[in-house]
């Protein structure tokens, strides 16, 4: 059973040189090279960004596509197919713009400049596979027998040779210089190249990937990774919760052991439940035969009219019996499968606990604890209860008069067949787009026998890629925000009830706006900010710089907007640019690492990010001036225009993700936002 835990999901064989992906699944190193995929240049995959957040994006996708619309949910046209259905490239493929997709959970992670060396090697799994191979391998043969080697009986640790008893007595007597050699039982595994190695060979202690000569001694709880002392001296983990490796190893082993106790109890209950189900099969068979005999006796005692009904009644009894048998057999099959999976996982976890590699254990312990807890949750209340009983709840009434015999039937009526819901009908007259939002409406034309419990709305990535769920609920109207501008989205919907999920509706194509129309956002602005003119004009009642963001969120494409200076007193230096939603609102835009901006006075301007001032240029602003911002997320650049004069473009680091227009001003400045604008015709790429 445990062998399923030790097989690579790509090649189906036992793991060989397994590497640990960020999603906690494993693949062989050679298989990883075969399932590499290439992403379009300039784009990255959101799954890699989500690797430090336990993949919570799935829950977020259920509600909205506001900030993760384009960040990696895509499908790229496959060519050569690998076992998990993704594009296969030659091993010489450059790692830049490449990613690997997990064949189990289908989450992707981008490769950095280290390539596959950036993934930790799962030494603990490798050791368990070796031990498993040892327990299932054939006996080791003597290495000195000339013909027809026999099974070895001893192995010399100093000579590293396997001997049968005659060869040991002839070639390795226990006297003279060989008397001090240690002979042990041949409990070893074949190594690479067909050579045999001692099982007693000690496994090397885990060493740091960044500092080859240092052993792991600490564990960062925030990063969930083992560290060496030089890692701590580097300062990267200075503010993190760092604990001794041995203490965390014992703590996680304890947690895994406690979780296994609960699953072990459930597995025991499942075994008893299977015995109960198998006994029920015999009871159903016996009760069915007994019921048929009773029915035949009753029908034979009636007049000829009853004989014509006997065949019908027997048919109903047979159907009831077959139904019960089918339900019980299906329940046995399902429970057996779940028990096998649970038992295999338990055996694997017990082998993991036996390992003495703290760093290797901690690499997989969190995932194993979650799996064990999840496995325990699968055995919900009612899962270990029979869905049907062995008794036949059919009653035959022989008291009615002869003229009513032809109407004789079982008291229990036939249960109406449950049906799945039909495909919803998209109401095209109510489906529309506004700016970068899409509204869809649908209805069901035919009511199923079982009431509809909800609907599932799916959209692709705006580029013809795979669909993903963006809404699950009972409403028949849904607005999806945060889509790409100037993109065409395919949408479809399906209904579900207690019977199952129905078919998809027809697909509708919705195109978002070519340019962005937006205003300043009063909900995220600093409290000293004042908005007028339907949130198009902004001023401030403080002498300190205060930040206000726009309502639009950009994550792909090229976008341009302008700000007109309505008032400019005492030569202040307002700042214009883009920022993430969590940028600081009580300081000049660009002083933290969440904003990219240009600040300008009446004579000159500077670019600023993370309080770093660069690219000083002559030319300032005054009342009536216009400042334009050109955000190019395809090339990761920002360009500014002061009175139509171009400044930039400037390439900034980490300019990827979701960004919003932003401005910082004080009480000496008032500006008005102008949106829905095309890129300036005099724009020059530099």
């Amino acid at each position: 059973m445990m062998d399923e835990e030790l097989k690579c999901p790509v090649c189906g064989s036992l793991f060989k040189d397994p590497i640990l992906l960020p999603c906690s699944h494993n693949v062989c190193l050679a298989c990883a090279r075969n399932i590499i995929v290439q992403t379009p240049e300039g784009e990255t995959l959101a799954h890699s960004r989500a690797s430090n957040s336990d993949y919570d994006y799935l829950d977020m996708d259920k509600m909205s596509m506001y900030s993760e619309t384009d960040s990696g949910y895509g499908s790229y046209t496959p060519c050569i197919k690998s076992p998990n259905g993704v594009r296969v490239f030659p091993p010489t493929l450059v790692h830049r713009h490449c990613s690997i997709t997990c064949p189990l959970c289908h989450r992707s992670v981008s490769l950095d400049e280290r390539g596959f060396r950036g993934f930790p090697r799962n030494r603990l799994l490798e050791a368990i596979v070796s031990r498993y191979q040892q327990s299932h391998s054939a006996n080791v043969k003597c290495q000195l027998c000339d013909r027809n080697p026999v099974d070895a009986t001893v192995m010399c640790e100093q000579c590293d040779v396997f001997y049968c008893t005659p060869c040991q007595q002839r070639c390795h007597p226990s006297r003279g210089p060989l008397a001090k050699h240690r002979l042990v039982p041949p409990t070893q595994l074949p190594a690479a190249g067909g050579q045999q190695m001692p099982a007693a060979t000690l496994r090397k202690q885990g060493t740091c990937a960044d500092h080859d000569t240092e052993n792991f001694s600490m564990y960062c709880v925030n990063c969930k990774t083992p560290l060496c002392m030089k890692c701590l001296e580097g300062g990267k983990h200075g503010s993190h919760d760092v604990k001794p490796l041995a203490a965390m190893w014992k703590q996680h082993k304890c947690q895994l052991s406690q979780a296994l106790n609960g699953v072990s109890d459930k597995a025991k209950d499942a075994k008893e439940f299977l015995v109960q189900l198998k006994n029920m099969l015999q009871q159903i068979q016996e009760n069915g035969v007994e019921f048929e005999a009773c029915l035949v006796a009753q029908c034979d005692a009636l007049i000829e009219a009853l004989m014509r009904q006997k065949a019908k009644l027997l048919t109903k009894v047979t159907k009831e019996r077959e139904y019960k048998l089918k339900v019980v057999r299906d329940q046995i099959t399902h429970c057996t499968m779940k028990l096998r999976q649970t038992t295999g996982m338990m055996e694997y976890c017990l082998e993991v606990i036996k390992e003495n590699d703290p760093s290797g254990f901690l690499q997989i312990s969190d995932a194993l604890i979650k799996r064990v807890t999840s496995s325990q949750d699968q055995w919900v209340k009612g899962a270990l209860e029979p869905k049907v009983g062995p008794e036949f709840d059919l009653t035959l009434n022989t008291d009615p008069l002869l003229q009513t015999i032809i109407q004789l039937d079982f008291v229990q009526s036939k249960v109406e067949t449950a049906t799945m819901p039909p495909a919803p009908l998209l109401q095209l007259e109510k489906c529309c787009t506004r700016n970068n939002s899409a509204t869809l409406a649908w209805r069901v034309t035919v009511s199923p026998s079982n009431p509809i419990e909800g609907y599932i709305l799916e959209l692709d990535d705006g580029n013809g890629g795979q669909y993903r769920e963006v809404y699950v609920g009972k409403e028949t109207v849904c607005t999806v925000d945060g889509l790409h501008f100037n993109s065409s989205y395919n949408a479809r919907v399906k209904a579900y009830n207690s019977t199952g999920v129905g078919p998809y509706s027809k697909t509708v194509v919705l195109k978002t706006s070519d340019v962005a129309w937006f205003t300043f956002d009063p909900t995220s602005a600093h409290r000293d900010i004042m908005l007028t003119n339907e949130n198009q004009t902004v001023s401030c009642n403080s002498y300190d710089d205060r930040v206000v963001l726009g309502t639009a969120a950009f994550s792909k494409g090229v976008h341009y907007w302008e700000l007109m200076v309505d008032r400019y007193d005492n030569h202040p230096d307002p700042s214009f640019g883009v920022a993430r939603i969590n940028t600081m609102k009580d300081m000049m835009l660009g002083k933290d690492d969440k904003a990219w901006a240009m600040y300008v006075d009446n004579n000159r301007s500077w670019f600023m990010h993370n309080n770093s001032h660069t690219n000083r240029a002559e030319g300032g602003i005054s009342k009536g001036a216009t400042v334009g911002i050109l955000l190019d997320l395809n090339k990761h650049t920002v360009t500014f225009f002061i009175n139509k004069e171009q400044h930039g473009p400037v390439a900034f680091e980490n300019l990827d993700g979701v960004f919003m227009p932003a401005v910082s001003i004080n009480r000496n400045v008032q500006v008005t936002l102008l949106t829905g604008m095309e890129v300036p015709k005099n724009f020059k790429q530099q």
Side-chain angles (χ1 to χ4, degrees):
M1 295 182 183
M2 188 182 67
D3 57 345
E4 297 299 328
E5 298 278 346
L6 306 180
K7 290 182 179 179
C8 174
V10 178
C11 63
S13 302
L14 293 177
F15 282 108
K16 183 178 181 181
D17 300 328
I19 59 174
L20 186 64
L21 301 180
C23 59
S24 299
H25 292 134
N26 300 276
V27 294
C28 300
L29 179 59
C31 296
R33 294 193 178 99
N34 291 333
I35 60 174
I36 190 173
V37 299
Q38 187 175 30
T39 59
E41 184 175 0
E43 294 187 10
T44 56
L45 294 176
H47 302 74
S48 62
R49 299 191 203 112
S51 63
N52 292 327
S53 60
D54 292 335
Y55 303 98
D56 292 335
Y57 72 92
L58 287 176
D59 295 332
M60 185 163 54
D61 287 345
K62 296 282 185 178
M63 303 301 300
S64 171
M65 297 175 67
Y66 182 73
S67 63
E68 291 292 334
T69 309
D70 68 318
S71 55
Y73 191 92
S75 173
Y76 308 107
T77 306
C79 51
I80 307 174
K81 290 283 187 175
S82 72
N84 69 337
V86 297
R87 185 184 293 182
V88 176
F89 290 92
T92 58
L93 184 67
V94 180
H95 289 146
R96 188 184 179 204
H97 305 308
C98 294
S99 66
I100 181 173
T101 301
C102 176
L104 295 178
C105 63
H106 304 293
R107 290 165 188 157
S108 300
V109 59
S110 297
L111 273 66
D112 57 18
E113 65 278 358
R114 297 178 297 172
F116 291 108
R117 292 185 293 104
F119 300 113
R121 183 170 175 177
N122 195 337
R123 302 189 313 275
L124 194 141
L125 175 59
E126 196 172 1
I128 295 176
V129 170
S130 297
R131 192 161 58 244
Y132 178 85
Q133 289 177 321
Q134 175 187 0
S135 63
H136 291 75
S137 62
N139 293 333
V140 180
K141 300 298 182 180
C142 175
Q143 294 177 286
L144 297 183
C145 291
D146 295 332
R147 297 179 181 178
N148 301 324
V150 299
D151 292 345
T153 57
V154 294
M155 189 262 316
C156 177
E157 289 187 339
Q158 286 71 26
C159 301
D160 196 12
V161 177
F162 296 89
Y163 302 94
C164 62
T165 300
C167 290
Q168 183 263 324
Q169 294 175 352
R170 182 177 69 255
C171 303
H172 197 289
S174 299
R175 61 180 181 272
L178 301 178
K180 296 182 179 180
H181 286 203
R182 182 183 178 189
L183 302 178
V184 297
T187 56
Q188 55 286 323
L189 288 170
Q195 298 297 322
Q196 293 173 324
M197 64 180 183
T201 301
L202 295 178
R203 202 176 295 110
K204 292 185 178 180
Q205 186 175 357
T207 57
C208 181
D210 298 325
H211 311 96
D212 295 338
T213 60
E214 295 292 325
N215 292 332
F216 290 128
S217 59
M218 305 298 290
Y219 182 79
C220 179
V221 178
N222 300 71
C223 301
K224 296 184 178 180
T225 183
L227 307 172
C228 68
M229 296 308 297
K230 288 189 177 180
C231 291
L232 293 178
E233 295 173 359
K236 178 181 177 181
H237 305 273
S239 60
H240 293 182
D241 183 10
V242 179
K243 296 184 178 180
L245 186 67
M248 290 301 296
W249 176 39
K250 293 180 180 179
Q251 178 183 339
H252 281 234
K253 271 199 172 185
C254 181
Q255 292 177 1
L256 181 58
S257 299
Q258 292 175 354
L260 278 175
N261 289 336
V263 177
S264 177
D265 293 339
K266 294 298 181 181
K268 181 180 179 181
D269 294 341
K271 292 179 180 179
E272 296 175 353
F273 179 60
L274 284 174
V275 174
Q276 179 184 354
L277 291 177
K278 292 176 181 179
N279 293 336
M280 188 180 297
L281 285 176
Q282 182 63 27
Q283 295 177 14
I284 292 175
Q285 293 282 10
E286 295 174 355
N287 291 348
V289 173
E290 181 181 351
F291 195 91
E292 289 179 3
C294 180
L295 179 61
V296 171
Q298 288 178 324
C299 290
D300 289 341
L302 299 176
I303 59 176
E304 185 177 359
L306 185 59
M307 297 298 296
R308 292 192 295 266
Q309 295 293 331
K310 182 173 65 173
K312 297 180 181 180
L313 297 175
L314 285 173
T315 301
K316 291 186 177 182
V317 173
T318 302
K319 288 182 177 180
E320 180 69 8
R321 181 188 66 191
E322 294 302 323
Y323 167 76
K324 288 178 177 286
L325 292 173
K326 182 179 183 302
V327 169
V328 175
R329 289 190 181 108
D330 291 345
Q331 202 169 2
I332 289 176
T333 302
H334 180 69
C335 186
T336 301
M337 180 185 66
K338 290 177 63 177
L339 178 61
R340 174 174 177 156
Q341 294 173 349
T342 301
T343 305
M345 181 188 65
M346 289 172 55
E347 294 178 0
Y348 174 65
C349 291
L350 291 174
E351 291 297 325
V352 168
I353 292 176
K354 295 177 182 178
E355 288 300 308
N356 294 322
D357 184 353
S359 59
F361 179 86
L362 291 173
Q363 281 182 324
I364 64 174
S365 59
D366 285 328
L368 282 180
I369 293 171
K370 291 179 181 179
R371 283 188 59 193
V372 172
T373 305
S374 175
S375 176
Q376 184 176 357
D377 294 339
Q378 290 181 359
W379 300 98
V380 296
K381 183 178 180 181
L384 300 181
E385 297 177 1
K387 294 183 178 180
V388 296
E391 297 80 13
F392 282 68
D393 298 329
L394 304 173
T395 303
L396 184 63
N397 189 358
T398 59
D399 295 335
L401 297 174
L402 181 61
Q403 57 269 26
T404 63
I405 292 180
I406 59 175
Q407 300 176 353
L408 186 63
D409 200 352
F410 292 114
V411 174
Q412 182 181 4
S413 60
K414 181 179 180 181
V415 180
E416 182 180 8
T417 303
T419 59
M420 292 188 299
L425 177 65
L426 286 167
Q427 297 179 278
L428 300 182
E429 68 278 5
K430 296 182 180 180
C431 296
C432 61
T433 59
R434 182 180 182 276
N435 217 16
N436 63 334
S437 299
T439 299
L440 297 103
W442 59 87
R443 60 186 176 90
V444 175
T445 56
V446 180
S447 299
S449 58
N450 281 7
I452 293 177
E453 296 180 0
Y455 302 91
I456 301 174
L457 176 62
E458 297 181 355
L459 264 69
D460 66 1
D461 63 349
N463 195 31
Q466 295 182 358
Y467 285 88
R468 67 172 176 181
E469 296 178 4
V470 296
Y471 171 75
V472 177
K474 297 182 179 180
E475 300 296 331
T476 57
V477 178
C478 177
T479 298
V480 182
D481 299 318
L483 304 178
H484 301 320
F485 289 93
N486 193 25
S487 299
S488 295
Y489 286 87
N490 295 296
R492 63 188 183 184
V493 64
K494 57 185 177 181
Y496 63 89
N497 59 15
S498 59
T499 306
V501 180
Y504 285 106
S505 66
K506 293 184 178 180
T507 301
V508 62
V509 181
L510 299 171
K511 188 178 186 302
T512 54
S513 175
D514 294 338
V515 294
W517 299 84
F518 57 92
T519 64
F520 289 118
D521 183 11
T523 61
S524 62
H526 192 276
R527 61 178 178 272
D528 293 334
I529 290 291
M530 296 181 296
L531 299 177
T532 57
N533 187 24
E534 296 182 345
N535 295 334
Q536 295 288 128
T537 300
V538 59
S539 58
C540 181
N541 60 12
S542 173
Y543 284 107
D544 296 322
D545 291 302
R546 300 293 186 243
V547 173
V548 59
L549 303 178
T551 56
F554 303 121
S555 52
K556 187 180 76 171
V558 181
H559 309 279
Y560 179 77
W561 63 94
E562 290 183 352
L563 296 116
M564 178 176 291
V565 181
D566 302 327
R567 178 167 52 83
Y568 187 79
D569 303 327
N570 302 322
H571 308 304
D573 46 1
S575 184
F576 310 89
V578 296
R580 302 189 192 275
I581 193 171
N582 59 342
T583 188
M584 300 295 294
K585 308 296 193 306
D586 57 355
M587 62 175 62
M588 179 183 288
L589 187 71
K591 284 199 171 184
D592 63 4
D593 62 350
K594 305 294 191 304
W596 295 256
M598 176 192 72
Y599 70 95
V600 56
D601 58 19
N602 60 321
N603 292 320
R604 60 190 67 83
S605 63
W606 296 262
F607 293 109
M608 183 165 63
H609 169 65
N610 201 15
N611 206 26
S612 175
H613 310 252
T614 60
N615 297 71
R616 172 180 170 177
E618 297 299 323
I621 61 173
S622 60
K623 180 179 179 180
T626 59
V627 177
I629 298 96
L630 177 62
L631 174 64
D632 189 343
L633 288 170
N634 298 331
K635 297 183 178 180
H636 305 279
T637 61
V638 180
T639 307
F640 298 92
F641 297 82
I642 300 178
N643 295 324
K644 307 302 181 181
E645 182 181 348
Q646 181 173 335
H647 294 249
V650 175
F652 288 104
E653 295 181 358
N654 302 321
L655 192 62
D656 55 2
V658 179
F659 301 91
M660 297 179 175
V663 177
S664 68
I665 61 173
N666 61 19
R667 66 183 305 163
N668 293 312
V669 184
Q670 176 178 299
V671 297
T672 296
L673 179 64
L674 305 174
T675 62
M677 308 185 71
E678 300 286 348
V679 175
K681 295 182 179 179
N682 62 340
F683 172 58
K684 297 179 181 179
Q685 294 280 0
Q686 298 179 0

